[in-house]
Every structure is written in C-alpha cells, then in structure tokens.
Amino acid sequence: MAEVGLTDAMSQFSQPQFSQSRFSRREVLAGFLGASAGLLAGCEGGEKKLPPKGEILAPNYSIGHRIRDGFRPRPASDRWQEADVVVIGGGVSGLAAAWRLLRGGLSRFLVLELETVPGGTSRSGQSSPTAYPWGAHYVPVPMPENRSLIAILREMGVVERIEADGAPVVGEQYLCRDPGERVFIDGAWQEGLYPSAGATKRDLDELASFRAEIARWAAWRDHKGRRAFAIPVAAGSDEPEITILDSLSMADWLRRQGYDSARLRWLVDYSCRDDYGATSAQTSAWAGLFYFASRVRTADGESQPLITWPEGNGRIVQHLASRAREQLRAGMAVVGVAATNTRDTQAVEVTALDVARGEAVGFRARRVVFAAPQFLAPYLIRDLPEPRKLNAREFQYSPWLVANLHLRDRPRDQSFPLAWDNVLYESRSLGYVTATHQTGRDYGPTVL
C-alpha cells in the first residue's frame, strides 16, 4: 500500500433528532486513523502494523475560523470589479448555477470558490492506476422531470437519446457494471446489499412487503399529478400527506408499519447513513422514503440504474468547471455580502480574501447566488433577516471522513468477488468503492 488520503466534508440532513455528542476535529481524525489502521492490519498472529504513509486532505478551515471570529478585511479602492452576477461557492450547486447562467446567455458573472480546486464534496483525485472520488460517486439515471440533469448528461455524451416519454437512454459504458454490490456477513461476501443468505421466511416476507410499499409511494400522485418523492425535490408533492412524514423518524415509521426484521432494519439504516450521514432514528421518514421511492420509476419497483465513473461525480464537476473556466475564481474566501442600495443604484457588494496573495478584493454585482453551505449565511450576509438566520442555525450537519487507500494489488477473496460497492454488515462505517471497477480492470493496482 503506497499511501492513504483522508478528506472530511459536511453533509446536512433534515431530522432534528440528531445526537448532540460533540468531538473535536482532532478526536474524530485520530479515531478514524485508528480504525483504518485496524482494518489494514489484519488478524494474522495478532501482529500490529502502523497505518500506511499518507496525508490528510481537508477544507481550508483556518480561513473559516478567522471569518467566524470577525475577520472582515476591506478592499482598497482599486481592488474592486464589476459583474452582473456573483456565485458564492464552487461546489456542484455553484457550478450548476454557472451552467444555468451560461445557458441563459449571461457570461458577465464570477464563481468564487475558497478551495484551490472546485467540486466541494464531489471533487476527485488522480493517481497512477486510476482517478478516484473524494465524495459523491454516482447519480441514478434521471427521471424525465429532471430536465436540467438530463441536459448536462447529454452535453457530456452520457445520454445518447431521449425516448418519446422523456426518459433518457444512457450509454451502457456509463452504467455501473456488474457486480454492483456485495455485503460481508457471517464471515463471507454475498451478492447484493440485502443480506439474504440465512434470512428467514419472515425476513424475506418483510422485504417483499417493504418493496411493495416503496412501489406504492413511487406510483402515488397528488391532484396536480406530482410524484410523492421526486428529483429535483421541487418537482415532488407538498401535500400534507407527504410533508407530515418529516415529523416522524424513519425508525418510527418502520415500527408503525410493523417491520421488525433485523435485516430489513439494517438495510434501511445503512441507506440513511449512506445518503444522509445519520441513522434511521436520526433521519425523517420523508427523507428515508425519499431515498428509496425517488429512484423508482416503473411499477415493478426496480430502482433506476446508477451512472458512475472511476472519479465518481468528479466527472460532472470537470464538465461544469470547463464550461465556466473563464468565470471561475479559486482561492477566494468570501468574507462579506451586503446590499448597497442608494437613490441611483442597487447593487450587492461581495468582499473576499485572495488566499494566495493575502489581500482583500471586492465585487459589485446586480445579483448574488449563495451556493455555499447554509450555516455560513449568518456569518457572511449582512442584515440577513432573523428568520433566515434561525433557519440556518436549525440545520444540523454530520461529519464525513473519506479514506482513499492506494493498493498495489487487490485483496484475495474466498467468496463472492470484489464489487463496485463493498459493504460490511456489522460495521458502523460505510462500505468502500473500487475506483477501477468501471474500467473493467479487475486485477492489479487500484484505489479503494
């Protein structure tokens, strides 16, 4: 093993029942590195091994701490620029906003990103054997109503054509190849994410009932013809029958439905941890059902296939960033946003720190798109209305730690072979993705 890299990111979720345990960044990283060392050491003879060489890749939180503590430099008079629009944040949200502006014929805008590279939690890396993801690593094949994503994927050459009903046809080389998933339980790997080996008839009956319930929600339509759960969320229903689910945890919903199979509960809990960084007890029933039902299009209840690349959603980031290359400004830490309405002009002033040069710069724009994490809004936006501040503070975030392990060769498997996604049934962490899986290289170096 040549090296290990770590990154942390923040993922928001909607359920207010989040545990209030608090750990320092140092404690979290130390615990994660210790767990990684145990994973790599193996059990032969109880021999203890040190973790492999590596580095920690983390967001530029030192600048964030300075902003939190009141750092607000004012640019010199000759360090101001004019723009029609300033987009704050160069993650997928900010890059998608830039893509939308360009499609609308607007080019006089800027995207300000704190890090040296764009992408946020969808960024990727590159090593000698393969590109690999640092965060988000797939998208389900979009439904017809997800027109913006379909348009982006068509630009990328991923979508080959559109059917008469609006459904996209994706090139087979972009669909996750088999085997897609495996789970390790009772000392062996088995195919799929549900641990079916050893399941009782009652376990399997509950699984069938749960899948039928998800199919029912997928087929549900309100009086406006909207799905219960849709991507994008704005295309879904806001009827009380749906929104009331946000006041109930997914774990409580399972109990009310009479589902007590440990295997089904594990599957649902793992899905919540995978998408939201929260257990089923900490995730709302709306979010839990959304995870499953928003991916189901047809009456058979099958989820949409997954689109993936070796670098994960870093491939989408690369495409969007290439479109906005002239407008993208990396290494810009926004420190303030303020409206400056006078009798003659209306504008928004954005002040930022050029991190590399250590100097303040300013931008005057007609409009600002805030595409940074919501918890930053009260610190950056002057005169933010109190309800908006309260909403931002209500959001709770779950820390994600991602390790990329660079291997000289693949682990030896005594049961079901290495898959794209590999999950440990009894682990409190998530599984690992094989970055070279989509390339068809099943032997030799890889990145997990």
Side-chain angles (χ1 to χ4, degrees):
M1 302 197 181
E3 62 175 313
V4 57
L6 300 177
T7 184
D8 62 350
M10 304 303 289
S11 176
Q12 65 191 42
F13 56 92
S14 59
Q15 177 64 21
Q17 300 174 22
F18 179 56
S19 170
Q20 296 301 311
S21 298
R22 291 291 181 264
F23 300 94
S24 71
R25 180 182 298 271
R26 182 182 299 275
E27 289 169 333
V28 171
L29 289 174
F32 188 80
L33 285 168
S36 297
L39 172 66
L40 298 172
C43 302
E44 296 181 7
E47 179 185 0
K48 294 183 179 179
K49 298 181 181 179
L50 294 175
K53 281 196 314 181
E55 61 179 344
I56 293 177
L57 176 67
N60 192 340
Y61 56 85
S62 62
I63 295 294
H65 290 173
R66 294 175 68 188
I67 295 172
R68 176 199 62 191
D69 296 337
F71 177 65
R72 299 294 185 273
R74 184 69 182 172
S77 58
D78 61 347
R79 297 294 290 151
W80 287 85
Q81 301 179 41
E82 303 288 330
D84 288 330
V85 179
V86 169
V87 179
I88 300 174
V92 168
S93 295
L95 294 174
W99 175 84
R100 190 68 173 266
L101 292 171
L102 288 169
R103 280 176 66 91
L106 185 65
S107 60
R108 193 170 174 265
F109 68 89
L110 295 170
V111 179
L112 307 182
E113 165 59 33
L114 166 61
E115 305 300 330
T116 56
V117 295
T121 55
S122 291
R123 64 183 290 183
S124 59
Q126 177 73 51
S127 66
S128 55
T130 184
Y132 52 87
W134 272 120
H137 47 273
Y138 71 90
V139 292
V141 171
M143 308 282 191
E145 58 264 25
N146 198 348
R147 293 188 293 271
S148 292
L149 180 55
I150 292 173
I152 291 171
L153 294 174
R154 289 199 78 175
E155 288 182 0
M156 296 172 62
V158 174
V159 170
E160 296 179 343
R161 67 181 188 277
I162 305 296
E163 299 282 28
D165 62 356
V169 176
V170 172
E172 187 175 354
Q173 67 272 34
Y174 302 110
L175 298 177
C176 184
R177 64 185 282 259
D178 288 334
E181 296 171 323
R182 65 175 183 170
V183 61
F184 188 81
I185 181 172
D186 295 333
W189 290 101
Q190 59 175 269
E191 184 177 12
L193 190 55
Y194 180 81
S196 55
T200 66
K201 182 180 183 299
R202 180 171 180 176
D203 287 328
L204 297 178
D205 286 346
E206 284 200 17
L207 176 64
S209 173
F210 177 76
R211 286 175 172 169
E213 182 70 7
I214 294 301
R216 183 184 75 82
W217 279 116
W220 187 96
R221 298 293 185 273
D222 65 12
H223 70 284
K224 296 181 180 179
R226 297 175 298 183
R227 293 171 57 93
F229 308 99
I231 303 174
V233 173
S237 177
D238 59 359
E239 292 289 327
E241 182 180 351
I242 306 303
T243 58
I244 192 65
L245 292 166
D246 209 32
S247 64
L248 179 73
S249 78
M250 189 60 185
D252 285 339
W253 182 87
L254 289 170
R255 277 191 288 271
R256 292 189 181 188
Q257 298 296 315
Y259 295 130
D260 58 9
S261 166
R263 293 169 186 254
L264 176 61
R265 286 179 168 274
W266 174 86
L267 176 68
V268 173
D269 191 74
Y270 181 85
S271 300
C272 291
R273 290 189 287 126
D274 187 32
D275 239 36
Y276 306 119
T279 67
S280 58
Q282 298 165 332
T283 303
S284 76
W286 184 95
L289 291 168
F290 176 93
Y291 174 91
F292 293 97
S294 65
R295 305 178 184 210
V296 175
R297 180 168 181 248
T298 57
D300 61 10
E302 289 296 320
S303 295
Q304 292 285 85
L306 302 183
I307 301 170
T308 189
W309 304 267
E311 64 271 45
N313 292 7
R315 180 73 65 92
I316 300 175
V317 167
Q318 292 164 17
H319 174 76
L320 295 177
S322 69
R323 292 290 308 277
R325 190 174 305 280
E326 295 182 4
Q327 289 85 5
L328 186 59
R329 301 286 187 273
M332 289 286 178
V334 172
V335 298
V337 182
T340 59
N341 298 330
T342 66
R343 184 172 58 183
D344 301 320
T345 61
Q346 290 185 335
V348 182
E349 288 189 351
V350 178
T351 54
L353 177 70
D354 185 328
V355 177
R357 297 185 178 184
E359 62 181 17
V361 293
F363 307 90
R364 292 189 177 94
R366 293 168 54 199
R367 296 286 188 272
V368 166
V369 176
F370 192 87
Q374 293 200 37
F375 74 88
L376 294 174
Y379 295 97
L380 302 183
I381 302 176
R382 192 179 73 188
D383 300 327
L384 186 69
E386 285 301 320
R388 294 289 302 278
K389 290 181 181 179
L390 180 62
N391 289 342
R393 294 190 183 104
E394 285 290 314
F395 270 87
Q396 295 183 344
Y397 289 79
S398 179
W400 289 76
L401 287 165
V402 178
N404 271 305
L405 308 179
H406 299 248
L407 307 185
R408 292 191 297 267
D409 205 350
R410 316 296 171 91
R412 290 188 299 273
D413 290 315
Q414 304 299 322
S415 47
F416 193 83
L418 190 66
W420 173 68
D421 191 13
N422 308 267
V423 178
L424 308 178
Y425 180 76
E426 294 181 342
S427 173
R428 294 179 64 190
S429 70
L430 301 179
Y432 57 88
V433 169
T434 309
T436 49
H437 181 81
Q438 199 65 10
T439 67
R441 289 182 285 160
D442 295 327
Y443 304 92
T446 190
V447 177
L448 303 183

